[in-house]
Amino acid sequence: MTGARPGNIPPLDPAAATPFYRQIYDRFRGAIASGVLKPGDRIPSARALTKELGLARGTIEAAYSLLAAEGYIQARGQAGTIVTPDLKPQMPVSKPILSAESSGIVPTSFRPDSSLPFQMGLPALDTFPRKIWARLGARCARAMLPADMVHPAVSGLPALRAEIAAYLQVSRGIDCSPSQVFVTSGYRHTIALIVHTLLKAGDRVWLENPGYPPTRELFRHMQIESIPVPVDRDGLVVSDGIRQAPDARAAVVTPAHQSPLCVSLSLPRRQALLDWAAGNEAWIIEDDYDGEYRYVSRPLPALKSLDREGRVLYAGTFSKVLFPSLRLAYLIVPKAEVARFEEMTEAMAAGSPELTQAVVTAFITEGHFARHIQRMRRLYAERREMTAAGLESVLAGHVSIDSQPGGMHLILRLLGERSDRELVALMRREGLYAEALTDWMIEGEAAPALLLNFTNIDSQRTAETLARRILKLL
Amino acid sequence: MTGARPGNIPPLDPAAATPFYRQIYDRFRGAIASGVLKPGDRIPSARALTKELGLARGTIEAAYSLLAAEGYIQARGQAGTIVTPDLKPQMPVSKPILSAESSGIVPTSFRPDSSLPFQMGLPALDTFPRKIWARLGARCARAMLPADMVHPAVSGLPALRAEIAAYLQVSRGIDCSPSQVFVTSGYRHTIALIVHTLLKAGDRVWLENPGYPPTRELFRHMQIESIPVPVDRDGLVVSDGIRQAPDARAAVVTPAHQSPLCVSLSLPRRQALLDWAAGNEAWIIEDDYDGEYRYVSRPLPALKSLDREGRVLYAGTFSKVLFPSLRLAYLIVPKAEVARFEEMTEAMAAGSPELTQAVVTAFITEGHFARHIQRMRRLYAERREMTAAGLESVLAGHVSIDSQPGGMHLILRLLGERSDRELVALMRREGLYAEALTDWMIEGEAAPALLLNFTNIDSQRTAETLARRILKLL
């Protein structure tokens, strides 16, 4: 292990357009990529390098922070700062989805949302119409007038709200006016807006068990008590929720494809849930995160489409049908609650940038949105098929794959003794993403299973290659 | 008053690329602009037009919603829907700031954040380098890779956090590392993040009196009790805060230019505030919304730059130095609190769009940001001077203008009997914006005064023209 002295780093250029911190960052990245600095090598402390280079301490810290944020270096307290020990050469498994890192090295565990194979929650990134998107982006940026620079309406651009209302009517059977649409920056923002407007600290809320873990974290931080309600092949067991907590103030459900089990909430259960909510003046929060993606038949209408009593709040998102870094989602509220939500957004909402809203509006208006969803529905049906076939051909006997009507991930039941959590940890170390069904349980045990996203697996061959890497870990 | 039948509206074109709701919207706007529909005219109900045109109800409602959101029509319950009665022809007062409405008509009171003369909180919109911005926007849109489409880091893009840290060091004397920077979508989001992380329901917080009204609204919604603390010529009267609520958990201050009185917090007061916070483990929230804009001397270093004990949370924003519809702001937290804020943002933050963060980063990196701020500092000093001169030449004897070292608005003390609230209401009716100092008081009385933003007043002549319109209302 050799200490890297600044001498190892090519000299900085004070005349360059690139600021110093970025030059330092580039030099270190280059040194790591070329092998001048090796995993585990100690690098000079920020203080030492500040002295050595005669620059401001903040400049060095900015560079180190970037390097640490991207996983290249790690602070080890007294032991100093080192090049990340388990930094691995990039393994181009499924080419389209991997980022174009010039260094040829990607850290494995520091950007949990970077696109590892099987990364949950991501749409297909390789097939997004980026050229069209860039064209619309450029056009909207050029079209910006002074009037577009003032505070945007906190509930969203009127044109975007109108497009969302029109889309939901056609595709999800929801009859709503644009005034019922509130544009948010994502699911967490949507839930926080609902909690602030309709709930109070100490309220109890039914959550599906198993269910999306961030929801209960979010409720915990907002002093809302989560009541785990089991899910069977018909979805949420409404009678069990009523038995446990008849007076709960709300229920969060994923009726289209339960998250993560992918079952659909049956019609009798939908009706029972609506009846309970109407009878108790409770709220139903319908998280329709991927309702568009159903492969065995037409997408089911949303639960919201059956809502005669105005009890359902519908949470949609552009993260799965466009892409997550857009940070655009929306909430449909019952007509009678519009005024309360308007008051709360005026008081608390920050609003979404005009530019991203304008680009999405143009993307919808010009028909690219509907076309993209149709194409993705076909593509995901294929990729689902190919991924399942590839995994089965290699892992038969070790796993069984649930048959599911829709969604963006597969459920692999583990037939052996191995715990799903253990296997997930091993896979992460090998640069493969998976989530353990056990981690999605609020309480009780689940049969061990892996959740694997298939939307970015481009062929059966890719699935087989990845499956062989999983096989070694079983 | 004639009812408008659909016959008045040119026929819709089913083959057009424009969706029906937008065609209907365009037709109505055109009819209003051309005078076919006059202010006060009744238009068909959504239900009647649905039947008449044989389209979906949602389509008509989408069009009507847009028209209502933009102030063209008003729902009047039983009386039906009418063209807004006080719709006025556009008055091109200060050309650069008014939007390019093709219809020649702008509603006066329905978009409070559209750019009326004297609109508070807006930077100069006519002098923003929109061409450079559009070029960077187009470039960033084209450069988007699949890796840029995944969930962005919830605390902000690493490169942007580094740029913000570097900028604050140079311009505001704040020594912080990028890991202390949390990118947010605006001031409200910043405050909510602080409350969630460091405060709990029932906590008491000092607020400046007078002070920015949305802050106390926000605290009220989050069950935080506001303690109004008076402001004198040295800024917040710290001793009064200590007398009233020594055990408050936090204090919100605007040390650079008190909002709205524009006084600077004196050095002894800064020290007293820091001592109180350190002694009581309380937090100081420094809202530095326009610290860059000081005209009589160099900008003062931020209060945060004196923070040895890690008690100051620094809230900055791009709304005043770039523009509000960007929805980007930031929070600097003390080093010791970074982990708590990281945990809270992971649980609750939605994150900001990659594209807007990338454009701002490029804008800073390439030097446009520093240049723009320098230019605006000079321009605002001039516009402040010209606006004050123009107002004084017409309104002398009726008002006296406070002398202030910085900020983006003037304070006009009313010398007559007229209440500031009344005058503001009259001005709004005439298409002029102002805020009443009385409305900024949490408790107690203030001498009546108008707050008038000067950043978009382009000449002394414009100020005089506007002043003559105010004079008629006095």
Side-chain angles (χ1 to χ4, degrees), chain A residues 21-22 61-62 66 99 113 130 144 147-150 158 163 169 177 188 221 324-325 327 344 347 349-350 353-354 365, chain B residues 21-22 58 66 99 113 130 144 147-150 158 163 177-178 188 221 324-325 327 344 347 349-350 353-354 365:
Chain A
Y21 85 86
R22 199 180 299 264
E61 285 191 347
L66 256 181
S99 72
D113 273 312
R130 285 192 284 138
M144 184 177 82
D148 302 318
M149 297 166 66
V150 303
E163 293 291 1
Q169 186 148 54
S177 79
R188 285 167 171 79
H221 281 291
S325 76
R327 306 322 301 139
M344 191 55 70
E354 176 100 8
T365 310
Chain B
Y21 84 86
R22 199 180 298 264
L66 257 181
S99 72
D113 273 312
R130 286 192 283 140
M144 184 177 81
D148 302 318
M149 296 166 65
V150 304
E163 293 291 1
S177 78
R188 285 167 170 79
H221 281 292
S325 76
R327 305 322 302 139
M344 191 55 70
E354 176 99 7
T365 310

Side-chain angles (χ1 to χ4, degrees), chain A residues 53-312:
Chain A
L53 297 178
L55 295 170
R57 174 73 173 267
T59 304
I60 311 296
E61 285 191 347
Y64 277 26
S65 257
L66 256 181
L67 291 164
E70 299 189 352
Y72 291 101
I73 64 172
Q74 287 181 349
R76 287 280 171 103
Q78 296 293 353
T81 302
I82 60 170
V83 177
T84 303
D86 51 357
L87 207 59
K88 282 188 199 315
Q90 180 170 354
M91 284 168 288
V93 176
S94 173
K95 212 172 89 292
I97 65 163
L98 290 166
S99 72
E101 291 276 339
S102 57
S103 67
I105 290 190
V106 284
T108 54
S109 54
F110 297 90
R111 286 168 52 175
D113 273 312
S114 70
S115 40
L116 293 180
F118 302 128
Q119 184 79 42
M120 289 283 282
L122 290 183
L125 301 177
D126 55 332
T127 55
F128 186 78
R130 285 192 284 138
K131 276 202 176 157
I132 292 172
W133 188 260
R135 184 162 51 73
L136 297 179
R139 197 176 77 195
C140 291
R142 271 196 305 273
M144 184 177 82
L145 295 171
D148 302 318
M149 297 166 66
V150 303
H151 295 85
V154 287
S155 311
L157 278 197
L160 179 58
R161 298 172 80 189
E163 293 291 1
I164 291 170
Y167 166 71
L168 291 178
Q169 186 148 54
V170 173
S171 79
R172 312 294 296 123
I174 296 172
D175 192 12
C176 70
S177 79
S179 65
Q180 291 170 263
V181 180
F182 289 79
V183 174
T184 73
S185 343
Y187 175 69
R188 285 167 171 79
H189 180 191
T190 298
I191 294 289
L193 176 58
I194 295 171
V195 171
H196 280 129
T197 310
L198 300 177
L199 304 181
K200 56 180 196 308
D203 277 355
R204 302 202 293 171
V205 171
W206 298 356
L207 290 193
E208 295 169 331
N209 187 35
Y212 185 54
T215 308
R216 55 186 199 256
E217 265 302 281
L218 190 54
F219 280 131
R220 188 173 67 77
H221 281 291
M222 302 190 81
Q223 275 92 52
I224 301 293
E225 192 189 335
S226 296
I227 307 291
V229 177
V231 173
D232 66 16
R233 62 170 54 188
D234 288 325
L236 184 86
V237 184
V238 177
S239 60
D240 192 271
I242 295 175
R243 187 185 55 72
Q244 281 194 73
D247 59 342
R249 300 305 312 128
V252 183
V253 284
T254 48
H257 317 114
Q258 198 274 335
S259 172
L261 299 180
C262 290
V263 295
S264 303
L265 190 62
S266 70
L267 191 59
R269 293 274 177 88
R270 288 177 188 231
Q271 205 49 63
L273 187 61
L274 289 165
D275 288 347
W276 165 77
N280 292 273
E281 299 196 330
W283 304 105
I284 298 168
I285 301 170
E286 174 175 24
D287 174 11
D288 196 37
Y289 65 107
D290 71 348
E292 288 86 354
Y293 297 137
R294 190 178 176 87
Y295 315 114
V296 295
S297 59
R298 285 171 57 87
L300 301 175
L303 173 60
K304 174 75 187 161
S305 70
L306 303 174
D307 179 31
R308 302 278 161 267
E309 309 285 331
R311 307 310 307 175
V312 180

Side-chain angles (χ1 to χ4, degrees), chain A residues 322-458:
Chain A
L322 295 177
F323 54 91
S325 76
L326 193 55
R327 306 322 301 139
L328 273 186
Y330 48 87
L331 169 66
I332 314 301
V333 312
K335 262 213 169 73
E337 315 307 326
V338 166
R340 290 163 81 177
F341 275 89
E342 278 174 352
E343 193 198 337
M344 191 55 70
T345 47
E346 279 304 327
M348 296 202 64
S352 292
E354 176 100 8
L355 178 61
T356 45
Q357 294 190 75
V359 181
V360 172
T361 305
F363 194 79
I364 301 177
T365 310
E366 300 185 6
H368 306 297
F369 185 68
R371 216 154 27 236
H372 181 61
I373 290 179
Q374 277 175 21
R375 285 181 51 222
M376 289 307 103
R377 200 179 287 138
R378 282 195 299 272
L379 180 78
Y380 291 178
E382 280 169 34
R383 288 192 170 179
R384 187 187 180 288
E385 198 84 350
M386 296 187 310
T387 307
L391 292 170
E392 234 148 23
S393 77
V394 175
L395 297 173
H398 298 280
V399 304
S400 87
I401 301 181
D402 280 18
S403 66
Q404 301 147 217
M408 299 168 64
H409 66 272
L410 293 170
I411 303 175
L412 268 66
R413 305 278 175 182
L414 303 185
L415 304 176
E417 296 295 299
R418 172 74 81 189
S419 101
D420 51 5
R421 280 187 175 143
E422 252 174 54
L423 183 55
V424 163
L426 290 171
M427 285 173 68
R428 292 276 184 104
R429 237 176 282 166
E430 295 295 317
L432 295 173
Y433 194 94
E435 293 192 16
L437 180 56
T438 305
D439 286 330
W440 287 56
M441 294 295 291
I442 307 181
E443 60 170 33
E445 289 295 309
L450 297 185
L451 310 177
L452 300 179
N453 184 305
F454 58 77
T455 59
N456 282 297
I457 306 298
D458 60 358

